[in-house]
Structures are given as structure tokens and as C-alpha cells.
Amino acid sequence: MGKKMYITTPIYYVNDVPHIGHAYTTIIADSAARYFRLRGYDTFFLTGTDEHGQKIEQSAKSKRKSPKEYADEISKKFKDLWDQFEISYDRFIRTTDSEHIKGVQKAFEIMYEKGDIYKGEYEGHYCISCEAFFPETQLIEGEFCPDCGKVTTIVKEESYFFRLSKYQEDLLKWYKEVDDSILPKSKKNEVIRFVEDGLNDLSITRTSFDWGVKLPSSINDPKHVMYVWLDALLNYITALGFGTDEKLMHYWPANYHLVGKDILRFHAVYWPAFLMSLGLELPCHIAAHGWWTRNGEKMSKSKGNVVDPKTVADAYGLENFRYFLLREVPFGQDGDFSQKALIDRINSDLSNDLGNLLNRIIGMSGKYFDFKIKSENVKKFHEKELKEVEEITLSLEKYVKEMKWNKYLEELWKILSIANKSIDTYAPWSKMKEGRNDEAMATIALVANILTKTALLLHPVMPKTTSKLADALGFEITKENFDKFITNCQLLEETIIKKILPLFPKIEEPLMQESKPQEQKKKEEKKDNKEKKIEGIITIEDFFKVSIKVGVIKEVEEVPKSKKLLKLKVDLGEDRPRQIVAGIKEYFTPDELIEKQVCVVANLKPAKLMDILSEGMILAAKDEDGLTLITPMKRKKPGTPVK
Ligand code: MSP
């Protein structure tokens, strides 16, 4: 084997089912892996799922499942989809795999022993959805996450920190020295600016929840679990056996980490700093792609505009979809998904430019030469065209190396344009009439050779379709043939063309039902289903699991440094009043609350808010006029159940 190649996708969170964004990253990575395999690289392609953290714990809870049960279920959905999509991964890693956990603990130990990890206390605004802290200055309206817009919570807890600040200069040096460390290169400046602004040490453990990797036993601090991003990023080396059998570590460093632009910071700042601390080589390239939108809007479950990759692939063909995803948008930029754009690509690029070309060659070679193709006179009559074609095909690899698949395909299509033009210009049918059979054969053979090159070069993107094309032309897609026809620019020997069914039937009209605009959907739902106003109907048994009781507010105290929270003592008819922390400070003065009767969820698992224990939840209703507490019409004894 020649050189090695290690390609990774991000590992996907299991709080959501796969959508077009996940499919995009995975298909780019798959095409790259297929390309390098075809070029003879010893390739290792990794994908998988990211299963720890508060976000997953919460999603599982809302589905009344254990986090592991829930992770098993969604992880399987990803794996099944990639298998249906014939994604050529070599390993599907799960962060709940025991070998991964051991590797992560080993890494923590090494960094700790090196003095790069220390214990301290953290207080900050945390976005559970992004699993990240944000400084107050970055929050929207002092409260909302700047990345996803969701409300952040203040987390104050004991934490271990990674000395990220120590690596600031080394990181800047790396960006400067390795020109293409971050792709597209334009994205590098954003990263440099972020690092130049100053790096704070990174909080890398949590005590407020359980669902994560425990610290190594040598550190003996069982209440901490690791920060999900530390756990997740390490998958790129634990998948190779880091910290366990190290069997595949010869694939390290990664040649390409494919990521979306939203997670570039984690990969281009934190990850290389962790690697420096571990004394490991840095990845060769971190390649960040843009986002897919729907009609210009961000996709989200609540908007109901998420594109399901399986539905698209089933309707339009998996390989057509792969071609579209890679061809439609320049790498790094955002793209909009529409059926029209997809149909245009299929009908114009695939059906007209490529499919019809093959049909014309099958037709002419059959009519004039019994399907026989001979390349002996191609050089003599088409030297100029051949030269142009070779120049293009030899130049394509650089686009793959920069992950510029859109440019790669655009350039590849130029050789198809040369082929189509040559047929029109040299009109083999006229040459035949004039008895210039050699010339007619030369043009047909030129085109057959261009199709040969196309089959090889398009193979990583459309593996099955191009294998059919190669079969029609009488050769196989192999590394040897890539070397022969692309690298060494040889021509086809005498071959017999096979008649095959059209590779790309035209598509006349959209094949998927457009999802209805949200407004219309809402109206219909209301009409159909008046009583089902609430999302997710529950049974009466479900409802009875919630214990709601009447309580009386006995004491009210302010929570220092909090704009929203009050600490209450509420009598629920028990031996002592309950302590409840409630976000109602903006709406009431303490006097207004004393002796008020309220409804309290009494069997909620106690939780800490700003380090204060809260043993229940007070029910309230809020609209644009403000917030009111839910209170019985007549006074009832404290502890009376609400049914
Ligand atoms: N678990 C982390 C990654 C850890 S890697 C060590 C994560 N997971 S994710 O499931 O939320 O996202 C995975 C990838 O999907 C990201 O690269 C993200 O950019 C990509 N996409 C999610 N939605 C997308 C679009 N709408 N369009 C394109 N890709 C987007 O982040």
C-alpha cells in the first residue's frame, strides 16, 4: 500500500434523527474516502455518534427513556441510514463504546499529569443546546445563546479546567505556518481572530448531571463527568485505539476532519490544543462546509421544514442526490435545497450532458461499426481536443485535496462539453457519407475515451452509476485503470460497447410532496383536531404521575446576583416547608407573595439553580401581559392534591 489517508465526519448527536445536513457532511467525506482509495491510498474513514451530555440526557428524559436506551435507538438510525446509503465507513464509533471511554480517561490522565488540567470553580452562561459556555457580552439581550437563540442558564459549579490559554501562541503559529490547515482558507481568518481575542481556560468537567464519561480513577473525583466536547473530539484518536490497543494509530494524524462551519471553533481551536497537550501531531486539514437552508430559512423541527435525506434519495435516486449535494454549492458556502434545483441538475448535467452522450455513442458505434471502438486514430484527428481533456483531467486532484467538490465536478463537466461539441463539429454521420470512416471512428473513439475518464473521475461521487458506465465501455473501475487512463493518459484498446438502459431518465415534475407551509398546516390541524391542542397527547396514567399540591408561601428571599430568581419556603402540609427556587422575581415583590396559595408540582426531582436546592415547581401562566400564579379559587388546606 502507498500513502495513508484518514478521513472523519463529526460524530452526530443522538438527540435528533439524521437530516440533510448530516447527510451532506457524510457524503462529502464518503466521496473523498472513495477518491483516495481509488488512488491507492490506504484509507481509514470514520463516522459515528456523540452520545453523552446534558442535551441527550434531557431528550431521553422527555421521551421517558434512559439515556443509553435512547442513544442506542437514535445511533442505530444513523448507522442504518449510512448503511442504506452505502457509506463506505471503516468504523462507526459510539462515545458509549467502552474502548472510547477508556481512551478518553487515559487522555485526561495524561493532560492532568502534564499540569494542563487544574481544579477550580466555574460560573457562566451555559447553552444546553450547543453544550457551550458564552461570555455575558456575547449573549443576545443578556440571556439568549448567540449561536442558536435558545435561553441560556447560569451554571456555577466546581470544575476542572484545561489550560487553553497556554496554547494560544502555539495555535496562532500553527495557523500561520500551515497554510491549508483550515479549509476553505477564507475561514481561517475567523479562527485567527477568535484566538487573537484571547483564550480563556476551558471548563472540561461538570457536576450538575451524570450522563458523561467519569474522570479516571487515579483522580478519584466521582462527582465530575467530562465535558461532552472533550469526550467527543477525542473520538478521532480513540477510534484508532488511543489509550487501549493503539492498533490503528499509524493512521494518525487525520488528513481531513470534515465539519460544518458551526463546529469549526471546536475543531480548529480546542482540538489542536488538546492534541498539543497530548503530544500528538495536529490534523492536516480541518475542512468546514456551509449550511443547507430551505427556502432561505434555517431548517428546524419546529418550522417543519427539515429535509429528510432518505425521502429525497428514494424519490430521486441516491447517486443523483449525492451529485446534487456536491455540485450545487461551493464548499464552505451555504446552499438552499429545492426540488427544482435538484431536478435541473439531473435533467441538464446528468441526463443531457452525460446520459445523452453515452446514448449517442452507443447509437453511432452500433450503426456504423457494430459497436466496435478503436482508438488508433484519435491522436491523429483530435490532438487538440485530447490535449485539452488531459490538461483538465490531470488538474482535478487539487480540487479534491481542497475539498472543492463543486469545482471538481464543474471542471470535469468541461470534458463532457468537449465531447458533445466534437460530435456536433465533426459530425461522424457526414464523414461516413463521405467515406471517411477512419475520421468518424476517431471522433466516436474520442468520445468513448472521454466517457472512460468521466467514469473513473466521477466514480467517488456516483459509484454505482459509473460502474455501469464503465461496464458499457468494457472496462472496470480500478486503481490500475485510474493510473492507466487518467494519470498516464492512455487510450482505450479495441472495445465493444454494450447497449444499456438510460442511466438518467429525465424528470418531468417534482417527485416529492412539498411540505405545506406552517400556517396552513396549523389551520388544518386545529380544524381536524380541536381537542388535541397540546403537542404530544398523554394518557390519564401519565398525568397521574405528576403530583400537584396546594401550597402556601411562607418566606420569600432574593437570590443574590440573579435578575430572575426568588428563594421561597412553601408549606405543603409536610413536616417542614419546601425550599423552591422560582423565576418570578421580575413580576412580584416579596410582600405580594407571602401567604399566597399556589399550586406546586411536588414530585419533581430536586435540582440546583445557582447552587441553591429547589424541591418543587410553582405553576404559573405567562403571556404578553406578564405572569400570574395559579391559585385555588377558595383557600384549601396546604397539601391538598390538585386533580
Ligand atoms: N456532536 C457534535 C459534533 C462532535 S464532533 C467531535 C455535533 N453534532 S450535530 O449532530 O449537531 O451536527 C453534526 C454536523 O451536522 C455538523 O457538522 C453540522 O454542521 C452539520 N449540520 C447540521 N445541520 C446542518 C445543515 N442544515 N446544513 C449542513 N450541515 C449542518 O455538532
Side-chain angles (χ1 to χ4, degrees):
M1 274 280 188
K3 289 185 278 185
K4 71 92 191 166
M5 175 63 53
Y6 181 29
I7 299 174
T8 69
T9 72
I11 45 172
Y12 303 109
Y13 282 133
V14 290
N15 66 326
D16 199 1
V17 292
H19 61 63
I20 187 174
H22 305 128
Y24 183 49
T25 326
T26 306
I27 287 170
I28 298 174
D30 182 62
S31 301
R34 286 176 185 271
Y35 179 87
F36 287 111
R37 280 192 204 108
L38 188 56
R39 300 290 289 112
Y41 286 70
D42 173 11
T43 302
F44 193 81
F45 170 23
L46 174 72
T47 190
T49 41
D50 187 355
E51 307 185 5
H52 289 126
Q54 204 169 359
K55 181 156 67 169
I56 312 294
E57 194 180 69
Q58 283 185 352
S59 298
K61 206 184 247 172
S62 73
K63 300 263 171 2
R64 295 178 189 281
K65 294 197 170 132
S66 76
K68 181 62 172 44
E69 226 182 331
Y70 181 64
D72 284 348
E73 190 184 299
I74 308 280
S75 176
K76 184 170 180 311
K77 288 202 171 141
F78 275 97
K79 189 159 183 298
D80 286 351
L81 182 69
W82 301 153
D83 290 341
Q84 283 158 10
F85 276 16
E86 299 185 30
I87 299 298
S88 62
Y89 60 83
D90 295 288
R91 165 106 198 251
F92 186 98
I93 191 171
R94 300 182 54 186
T95 53
T96 46
D97 289 343
S98 65
E99 301 299 286
H100 168 78
I101 292 171
K102 277 186 214 150
V104 169
Q105 289 170 330
K106 181 78 197 163
F108 196 100
E109 208 164 49
I110 296 173
M111 289 150 92
Y112 185 78
E113 275 163 19
K114 192 170 173 182
D116 279 352
I117 292 179
Y118 61 93
K119 199 168 174 177
E121 193 173 63
Y122 194 87
E123 180 168 7
H125 299 268
Y126 192 68
C127 172
I128 296 173
S129 180
C130 297
E131 298 279 17
F133 279 102
F134 294 93
E136 187 138 10
T137 48
Q138 279 185 20
L139 298 182
I140 301 165
E141 293 173 17
E143 189 176 6
F144 300 102
C145 170
D147 277 0
C148 72
K150 295 200 178 120
V151 71
T152 56
T153 45
I154 295 180
V155 174
K156 185 178 173 188
E157 57 187 40
E158 179 186 284
S159 174
Y160 285 81
F161 286 82
F162 172 71
R163 291 189 198 281
L164 185 62
S165 54
K166 169 176 160 189
Y167 292 99
Q168 177 161 339
E169 290 314 313
D170 288 340
L171 285 169
L172 288 169
K173 200 163 143 229
W174 177 55
Y175 306 138
K176 218 165 274 166
E177 274 170 10
V178 187
D179 184 43
D180 50 5
S181 48
I182 296 166
L183 298 171
K185 290 181 195 164
S186 55
K187 288 254 190 293
K188 197 156 93 171
N189 291 335
E190 285 171 34
V191 175
I192 292 181
R193 245 175 286 135
F194 177 82
V195 176
E196 278 175 346
D197 272 355
L199 294 178
N200 294 325
D201 289 349
L202 187 69
S203 158
I204 50 162
T205 67
R206 298 282 179 271
T207 54
S208 50
F209 65 95
D210 271 348
W211 182 235
V213 178
K214 300 266 179 289
L215 301 201
S217 51
S218 58
I219 294 177
N220 190 20
D221 206 344
K223 61 175 192 292
H224 288 261
V225 293
M226 282 188 223
Y227 174 40
V228 62
W229 270 101
L230 172 64
D231 162 9
L233 286 162
L234 286 164
N235 95 90
Y236 299 132
I237 52 175
T238 61
L240 303 180
F242 175 85
T244 50
D245 64 12
E246 309 262 322
K247 246 203 245 137
L248 297 169
M249 278 304 279
H250 57 275
Y251 281 109
W252 190 257
N255 298 77
Y256 293 93
H257 283 313
L258 273 151
V259 299
K261 62 179 185 180
D262 52 318
I263 57 171
L264 178 59
R265 175 166 41 112
F266 297 95
H267 284 80
V269 182
Y270 302 168
W271 179 225
F274 295 155
L275 287 166
M276 286 179 193
S277 176
L278 291 169
L280 289 174
E281 274 184 77
L282 303 189
C284 307
H285 310 284
I286 299 159
H289 62 70
W291 270 53
W292 283 93
T293 53
R294 193 79 213 269
N295 302 321
E297 282 193 6
K298 200 170 164 179
M299 285 180 229
S300 76
K301 263 196 273 180
S302 53
K303 283 192 202 132
N305 63 352
V306 177
V307 178
D308 170 19
K310 177 82 169 55
T311 311
V312 183
D314 286 348
Y316 290 97
L318 171 63
E319 299 205 349
N320 294 346
F321 180 43
R322 285 173 65 108
Y323 173 81
F324 168 78
L325 288 175
L326 265 55
R327 175 65 184 84
E328 191 65 9
V329 274
F331 188 75
Q333 292 181 22
D334 293 346
D336 199 52
F337 178 84
S338 75
Q339 292 199 72
K340 182 178 176 311
L342 173 56
I343 293 170
D344 284 352
R345 286 281 169 210
I346 296 172
N347 287 348
S348 139
D349 299 11
L350 296 174
S351 187
N352 282 352
D353 299 344
L354 177 54
N356 280 353
L357 187 65
L358 176 67
N359 291 345
R360 289 172 96 181
I361 289 305
I362 293 175
M364 284 190 282
S365 66
K367 186 163 171 194
Y368 305 131
F369 302 109
D370 248 350
F371 298 103
K372 213 175 267 168
I373 304 273
K374 287 186 193 166
S375 300
E376 59 198 7
N377 287 318
V378 176
K379 277 201 179 104
K380 182 170 157 198
F381 293 109
H382 293 294
E383 201 183 349
K384 181 174 143 278
E385 287 84 5
L386 258 191
K387 207 165 151 262
E388 279 171 17
V389 168
E390 283 167 9
E391 250 170 47
I392 294 170
T393 52
L394 288 171
S395 75
L396 289 180
E397 184 151 296
K398 66 170 181 286
Y399 301 119
V400 177
K401 290 195 165 163
E402 292 187 26
M403 289 296 128
K404 291 184 175 165
W405 286 96
N406 133 284
K407 187 75 182 148
Y408 176 90
L409 293 170
E410 188 183 320
E411 287 295 306
L412 175 57
W413 248 246
K414 286 188 181 156
I415 72 172
L416 293 177
S417 157
I418 294 173
N420 276 307
K421 248 189 238 151
S422 299
I423 297 182
D424 297 341
T425 311
Y426 301 104
W429 51 93
S430 313
K431 299 276 161 40
M432 290 302 289
K433 267 192 211 147
E434 293 162 18
R436 292 151 74 182
N437 296 17
D438 282 358
E439 283 180 54
M441 172 58 96
T443 305
I444 294 169
L446 168 74
V447 174
N449 277 285
I450 291 178
L451 285 170
T452 301
K453 289 177 192 284
T454 305
L456 286 159
L457 289 161
L458 186 58
H459 184 69
V461 182
M462 307 186 78
K464 283 212 166 125
T465 315
T466 50
S467 297
K468 282 188 208 155
L469 177 59
D471 185 48
L473 293 160
F475 75 100
E476 271 180 46
I477 310 258
T478 57
K479 175 194 177 298
E480 290 64 38
N481 280 333
F482 194 102
D483 292 343
K484 179 173 166 186
F485 294 119
I486 307 292
T487 317
N488 300 324
C489 302
Q490 290 185 33
L491 297 178
L492 281 168
E493 279 111 45
E494 191 172 307
T495 181
I496 304 284
I497 285 209
K498 274 190 222 150
K499 260 177 127 169
I500 56 169
L501 290 172
L503 291 175
F504 310 103
K506 277 230 162 108
I507 294 170
E508 304 299 340
E509 55 191 51
L511 301 173
M512 284 165 17
Q513 233 187 343
E514 278 296 333
S515 58
K516 291 178 187 154
Q518 255 337 75
E519 295 293 291
Q520 190 184 338
K521 247 194 207 164
K522 269 191 198 149
K523 267 189 208 154
E524 286 175 8
E525 266 166 26
K526 251 190 190 165
K527 212 170 108 201
D528 281 359
N529 216 337
K530 272 191 192 150
E531 76 281 13
K532 281 195 207 162
K533 276 191 203 126
I534 325 152
E535 222 183 74
I537 297 292
I538 59 167
T539 61
I540 191 80
E541 289 78 20
D542 289 335
F543 176 72
F544 284 144
K545 285 183 191 152
V546 184
S547 157
I548 304 175
K549 290 183 178 170
V550 173
V552 182
I553 300 179
K554 292 291 183 191
E555 281 174 37
V556 181
E557 231 182 88
E558 302 216 333
V559 172
K561 287 199 221 152
S562 170
K563 287 183 219 148
K564 301 204 172 81
L565 300 180
L566 286 177
K567 189 166 93 179
L568 314 173
K569 290 272 161 65
V570 183
D571 178 7
L572 287 187
E574 296 165 338
D575 48 357
R576 62 169 179 88
R578 296 261 191 125
Q579 174 168 290
I580 295 178
V581 182
I584 55 176
K585 187 171 169 182
E586 293 155 88
Y587 305 97
F588 307 101
T589 60
D591 287 351
E592 287 175 304
L593 293 170
I594 293 290
E595 287 302 321
K596 271 269 158 0
Q597 286 218 313
V598 284
C599 293
V600 175
V601 179
N603 62 343
L604 207 58
K605 188 174 165 199
K608 274 192 174 171
L609 291 168
M610 289 191 75
D611 235 14
I612 306 172
L613 188 71
S614 181
E615 302 167 305
M617 188 173 78
I618 292 189
L619 297 183
K622 186 176 163 190
D623 64 9
E624 53 290 353
D625 287 339
L627 179 139
T628 182
L629 298 177
I630 308 298
T631 176
M633 281 170 79
K634 276 193 196 153
R635 283 190 86 81
K636 288 279 157 197
K637 262 195 245 143
T640 309
V642 177
K643 298 239 159 154

